[in-house]
Amino acid sequence: MSSDTAPVTDPEPTDTAKSKPGKDKEKINWIAEIRGLALMLLAVLAFHSFVAKPFYIPSESMMPNLLVGDRLVVSKFPYGYNWSSLSFHPLERASWRLFPGTPQYGDIVIPVPPNSDEDYIKRVVALPGDRIAVSDGRIILNGKPIPRKVEPAIEIPVDLNSPCSPYAYPGMRVTKPDGTMVCRMPVYRETMPNGATYLVVDHMNQSLDDYPEITVPKDAVFVMGDNRDHSADSRAPTFEKGLGGPIPLSNIGGRAEFITFSLDGSTNLNPISWFTSLRGGRAFTTLRPAIVPTGDSE
């Protein structure tokens, strides 16, 4: 007996999960995501605290060598570790130091003032045990004036971050024949006993040009800004935002190494300005002072 009726088969089971889009999606493990972000943040903080961190120059106290808008790298290990090594300074102030080291003459360091947690940037001009005074703007170290020679004036381009205010720098803002405006600054070259040499600006008479002789404590250094008339440093009292004398070594959080890049202050939301605001010739400039034979410094 024949039949032209096709055999009846049962329909395949319907995959209800597939019929409802989104139900099969993997749920986000928020705890794991937060843990990953926390670990990444801790790694960054650890690197900033124990290896190196970026630093931004907010003031003119280190002109002509550092300009407002410079970004640089600060190494954290040259002088060991202390409470000020950690980013944001969460630890209590103390005198302990791990793997301690002592700065050298001419090093640019990151001191923390005794009455605030703000990071400063200054140059070491006297070491533990030194006698230091300042007379008419000139450093007297262990009874002898350090060598200081007049150098040709330097020209710093005027921009939003370096406006060369006529009040702060009278007569220095000039327009060149090609229309470029620059800050023409008279400079001196100082040379320390170890041969470290660098430029400083000292263009006017003011109270910080004279400082009575003191002996730097064994656990401290004396620091000054390269822009001598516009720097709140070891010469200036704390109520004037200065460092109030020698700075303890436990208050030094690192050493400036090199400039990564520099901005002229014209950066805005336009992505093109992220490139046009870059100052030329400053990237990867070392901040370690040149060393010359001390016999050539006189």
Side-chain angles (χ1 to χ4, degrees):
M1 182 170 117
S2 64
S3 171
D4 52 10
T5 305
V8 178
T9 58
D10 292 333
E12 290 186 11
T14 304
D15 189 343
T16 54
K18 288 183 180 178
S19 65
K20 294 183 179 179
K23 269 203 166 184
D24 197 29
K25 287 184 178 177
E26 185 180 344
K27 291 184 178 179
I28 297 176
N29 187 336
W30 288 108
I31 294 178
E33 293 291 328
I34 292 172
R35 185 192 304 122
L37 289 173
L39 289 174
M40 183 175 65
L41 179 60
L42 284 174
V44 171
L45 290 175
F47 187 87
H48 283 188
S49 298
F50 299 109
V51 182
K53 76 169 187 176
F55 192 89
Y56 166 74
I57 300 299
S59 77
E60 297 180 339
S61 70
M62 288 296 290
M63 287 175 70
N65 302 296
L66 286 170
L67 307 179
V68 175
D70 284 350
R71 268 70 170 181
L72 44 132
V73 168
V74 171
S75 58
K76 308 307 289 288
F77 50 84
Y79 315 130
Y81 302 102
N82 55 66
W83 69 270
S84 66
S85 300
L86 298 183
S87 295
F88 312 115
H89 311 314
L91 300 179
E92 280 191 33
R93 290 173 181 252
S95 59
W96 59 266
R97 293 198 297 147
L98 298 175
F99 312 112
T102 302
Q104 300 299 308
Y105 292 119
D107 283 359
I108 298 177
V109 300
I110 310 299
V112 182
N115 58 348
S116 79
D117 287 336
E118 184 179 0
D119 288 336
Y120 283 20
I121 184 163
K122 306 295 176 188
R123 191 181 296 276
V124 174
V125 296
L127 300 180
D130 280 343
R131 291 179 291 113
I132 185 171
V134 182
S135 177
D136 194 25
R138 189 163 185 178
I139 295 172
I140 313 296
L141 192 62
N142 297 318
K144 297 180 180 179
I146 67 167
R148 188 170 86 161
K149 295 180 179 179
V150 176
E151 290 274 317
I154 63 171
E155 295 181 346
I156 297 174
V158 170
D159 55 36
L160 293 177
N161 275 339
S162 296
C164 196
S165 162
Y167 174 77
Y169 306 103
M172 296 188 194
R173 188 161 64 179
V174 298
T175 302
K176 300 177 72 173
D178 63 359
T180 305
M181 189 173 290
V182 298
C183 195
R184 187 171 291 157
M185 307 187 83
V187 292
Y188 297 94
R189 179 168 294 281
E190 287 185 348
T191 303
M192 302 303 293
N194 64 342
T197 184
Y198 48 86
L199 297 177
V200 299
V201 178
D202 186 10
H203 65 93
M204 56 191 261
N205 294 321
Q206 44 97 26
S207 60
L208 296 181
D209 281 347
D210 294 287
Y211 188 88
E213 183 177 89
I214 63 165
T215 298
V216 180
K218 65 179 182 180
D219 59 350
V221 290
F222 199 92
V223 297
M224 293 170 63
D226 293 342
N227 191 358
R228 296 292 162 77
D229 299 315
H230 305 278
S231 175
D233 47 42
S234 287
R235 300 169 296 166
T238 54
F239 66 82
E240 293 182 355
K241 290 194 171 184
L243 294 171
I247 193 77
L249 293 174
S250 57
N251 283 29
I252 293 178
R255 181 179 70 195
E257 300 292 351
F258 61 90
I259 296 171
T260 52
F261 64 96
S262 184
L263 299 175
D264 64 14
S266 63
T267 311
N268 54 47
L269 295 178
N270 184 346
I272 295 177
S273 72
W274 304 349
F275 301 96
T276 58
S277 63
L278 288 169
R279 291 181 175 127
R282 295 195 66 76
F284 303 109
T285 301
T286 182
L287 297 176
R288 303 301 306 280
I291 304 295
V292 298
T294 52
D296 294 348
S297 63
E298 296 296 339

